[in-house]
């Protein structure tokens, strides 16, 4: 059975972009792939975290996967730091990764600007750890949003380089990026992606926002000049809102445009708030019903299954490289 691997960082609340750009695909893929979905806590510590909050966030991300439909009977759900081979392979891949290629990573450049006081080695090395996450499990596909494409391409380059130096060891995985939803933009600024670390909470809709907050954020969302409910290259704000509406309601953008023909922004925003609130309320009732101890058990079992695969791959790497 072909494999799929992906992960999310346990930093703050997950938002609609994380779901529409990535996790929505995971839920589909678990039906036809051997799926590994990871909570990447070692990535999260590349920016300063409060230990108590981090512990809670790790559990919350796992609960979010489950409440969004990732099924532990079909998928292996686990925490990155529970499988030490992730960090071990990262060290090995560091010896073939080039400074120049890591310096080109746009996410590093952005984060270095954002965290000027803490540009640590881990932040720079982040994409190599991500390559290790992926390559340990030999997945064919890695479902991610557009912003992670460059990292998956680096992963492919590192796999090919290792293979040519030491013999075929790794599969070169492909990024799986949706046509729609791969880059959900900020509600307050449609030129910037929706982000957990945005300066203003009005930028994103967190999956744990209350219905009142969701309605308020949508009513404040930036719109384009003009008054019609239409998407288009010159209408980034409406295109973004229509994309969210379309993906959550399973209707085409064309249909939604027809439904709102002759109506104004206020009507459209009311409709969008309804669609988002319904989705979020269903999600939250599943999230709140999850028992922390049961979730911890799922993560323990997931780590045990992931370890079997990761240990085997790491042994192969060591043998190929001549590590006794
Ligand atoms: P992270 O935690 O920032 O985001 C998790 C996933 O959500 C996607 N995403 C978006 N998609 C659409 N629109 C947006 N505005 C948006 N914001 C985020 C991301 O592309 C991602 O798929 N480095 C990764 C985590 C990671 C990983 C991995 C992913 C570590 N190891 C191995 C895949 C495979 C990250 O920071 O994602």
């Amino acid at each position: 059975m072909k494999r799929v691997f992906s992960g999310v960082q346990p930093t703050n609340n997950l938002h609609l972009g994380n779901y529409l750009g990535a996790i929505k695909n995971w839920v589909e893929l678990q039906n036809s792939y051997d799926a590994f979905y990871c909570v990447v806590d070692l990535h999260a510590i590349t920016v300063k975290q409060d230990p108590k909050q981090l512990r809670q966030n790790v559990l919350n991300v796992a609960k979010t996967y489950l409440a969004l439909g990732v099924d532990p009977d079909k998928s292996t759900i686990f925490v990155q730091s529970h499988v030490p081979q992730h960090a071990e392979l990262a060290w090995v891949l560091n010896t073939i990764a080039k400074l120049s290629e890591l310096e080109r990573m746009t996410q590093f450049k952005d984060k270095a600007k954002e965290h000027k006081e803490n540009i640590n080695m881990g932040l720079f090395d982040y994409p190599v750890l991500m390559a290790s996450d992926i390559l340990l499990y030999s997945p064919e596909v890695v479902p991610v949003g557009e912003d992670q494409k460059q990292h998956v391409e680096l992963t492919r380059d590192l796999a090919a380089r290792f293979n040519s130096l030491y013999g075929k060891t790794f599969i070169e995985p492909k990024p799986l990026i949706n046509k729609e939803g791969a880059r959900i933009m900020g509600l307050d600024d449609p030129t910037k992606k929706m982000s957990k670390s945005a300066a203003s909470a009005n930028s994103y809709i967190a999956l744990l926002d209350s219905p009142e907050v969701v309605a308020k954020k949508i009513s404040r969302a930036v719109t384009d000049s003009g008054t019609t409910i239409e998407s288009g290259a010159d209408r980034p704000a409406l295109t973004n809102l229509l994309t969210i509406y379309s993906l959550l309601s399973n209707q085409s953008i064309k249909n939604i445009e027809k439904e709102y023909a002759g109506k104004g922004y206020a009507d459209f925003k009311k409709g969008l708030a309804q669609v988002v609130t319904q989705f979020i309320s269903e999600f939250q009732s599943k999230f709140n019903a999850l028992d922390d101890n049961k979730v911890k058990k799922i993560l323990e079992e997931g780590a045990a299954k992931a370890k079997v695969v990761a240990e085997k791959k790491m042994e192969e790497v060591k043998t190929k490289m001549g590590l006794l």
Side-chain angles (χ1 to χ4, degrees), residues 5-11 14-23 26 38 40 43 80 86 107 111 126-127 129-134 142-149 151-152 155 181-186 192-196:
F5 182 96
S6 199
V8 172
Q9 290 193 73
T11 42
L14 299 206
H15 55 66
L16 272 185
N18 299 127
Y19 173 62
L20 297 176
I23 303 173
W26 302 6
C38 187
V40 291
H43 278 99
Q80 185 184 34
H86 289 244
Q107 186 168 309
K111 286 208 174 168
Y126 178 112
L129 179 59
M130 176 160 162
S132 310
D133 299 339
I134 298 170
V142 182
V144 284
E146 175 71 37
D147 63 334
Q148 296 301 316
K149 188 171 174 215
H151 291 161
V152 182
T155 303
R183 195 171 176 81
I184 298 293
M185 308 309 277
K192 295 206 179 96
K193 70 167 185 182
M194 185 177 279
S195 161
K196 285 177 265 195

Side-chain angles (χ1 to χ4, degrees), residues 266-282:
D267 281 327
F268 172 67
K269 283 184 165 182
K270 218 165 129 199
L272 176 61
Q274 250 167 24
V275 167
V276 176
T277 310
Q278 192 186 335
F279 169 77
I280 282 206
S281 307
E282 281 168 23

Side-chain angles (χ1 to χ4, degrees), residues 108-320:
F108 170 69
K109 289 192 241 176
D110 291 347
K111 286 208 174 168
K113 261 189 230 148
E114 212 181 296
H115 301 278
K116 279 203 185 75
E117 73 305 335
N118 184 20
I119 308 177
N120 59 71
M121 281 302 291
L123 196 62
F124 186 63
D125 202 29
Y126 178 112
V128 179
L129 179 59
M130 176 160 162
S132 310
D133 299 339
I134 298 170
L135 295 179
L136 278 175
Y137 298 91
S138 312
E140 312 265 324
V141 291
V142 182
V144 284
E146 175 71 37
D147 63 334
Q148 296 301 316
K149 188 171 174 215
Q150 195 183 30
H151 291 161
V152 182
E153 278 162 2
L154 174 77
T155 303
R156 291 171 62 82
D157 290 346
L158 292 177
R161 194 171 307 149
F162 188 97
N163 289 346
S164 79
L165 287 168
Y166 299 108
K168 176 109 181 97
T169 309
F170 296 122
I171 288 189
E172 290 175 44
K174 290 190 189 68
L176 187 103
I177 297 171
N178 283 338
K179 269 208 200 77
E180 306 279 352
R183 195 171 176 81
I184 298 293
M185 308 309 277
L187 298 186
D188 59 343
D189 181 355
T191 64
K192 295 206 179 96
K193 70 167 185 182
M194 185 177 279
S195 161
K196 285 177 265 195
S197 54
S200 159
N202 284 330
S203 159
Y204 58 84
I205 294 180
L207 296 173
L208 291 172
D209 275 346
S210 70
E212 295 75 37
V213 168
V214 169
K216 211 195 257 159
K217 286 182 178 177
I218 291 178
S219 77
R220 287 190 182 158
V222 168
T223 47
D224 304 299
S225 55
T227 52
T228 55
I229 310 305
E230 280 173 308
S231 62
D234 57 341
R235 317 208 75 218
L238 260 288
T239 303
N240 188 43
L241 298 179
L242 279 161
T243 302
I244 295 173
Y245 197 126
S246 157
L247 291 171
L248 290 181
S249 65
N250 286 320
Q251 297 179 65
S252 69
I253 289 185
K254 282 243 147 9
N255 266 348
I256 303 166
E257 287 172 342
K258 259 191 229 150
E259 190 183 329
Y260 286 96
K263 295 185 181 155
Y265 287 149
D267 281 327
F268 172 67
K269 283 184 165 182
K270 218 165 129 199
L272 176 61
Q274 250 167 24
V275 167
V276 176
T277 310
Q278 192 186 335
F279 169 77
I280 282 206
S281 307
E282 281 168 23
F283 161 77
Q284 289 177 8
S285 61
K286 288 185 197 146
F287 183 96
N288 293 328
L290 287 164
D291 173 67
D292 283 6
N293 287 327
K294 278 197 191 134
V295 177
K296 284 183 189 156
K297 189 103 192 36
I298 290 172
L299 292 174
E300 240 173 68
E301 285 167 9
K305 278 205 267 171
K307 255 186 212 159
V308 174
V309 180
E311 277 169 0
K312 195 158 165 241
K313 185 52 80 181
M314 202 57 221
E315 274 309 306
E316 187 187 345
V317 167
K318 286 181 175 169
T319 306
K320 292 247 169 79

Side-chain angles (χ1 to χ4, degrees), residues 46-102:
T46 58
V47 304
K48 195 157 179 343
Q49 302 290 339
D50 169 54
K52 197 164 153 234
Q53 188 65 50
L54 179 62
R55 215 168 285 132
Q56 187 59 49
N57 283 347
V58 170
L59 202 58
N60 279 356
V61 171
K63 286 165 80 171
T64 301
Y65 291 176
L66 294 164
L68 288 173
V70 178
D71 177 350
D73 290 332
K74 296 180 183 167
S75 300
T76 303
I77 305 170
F78 70 104
V79 178
Q80 185 184 34
S81 64
H82 294 178
V83 181
Q85 284 76 15
H86 289 244
E88 192 179 8
L89 181 59
W91 178 259
V92 167
L93 293 180
N94 273 336
T95 65
I96 64 163
K98 297 186 166 68
L99 273 187
S100 56
E101 63 193 346
L102 291 179

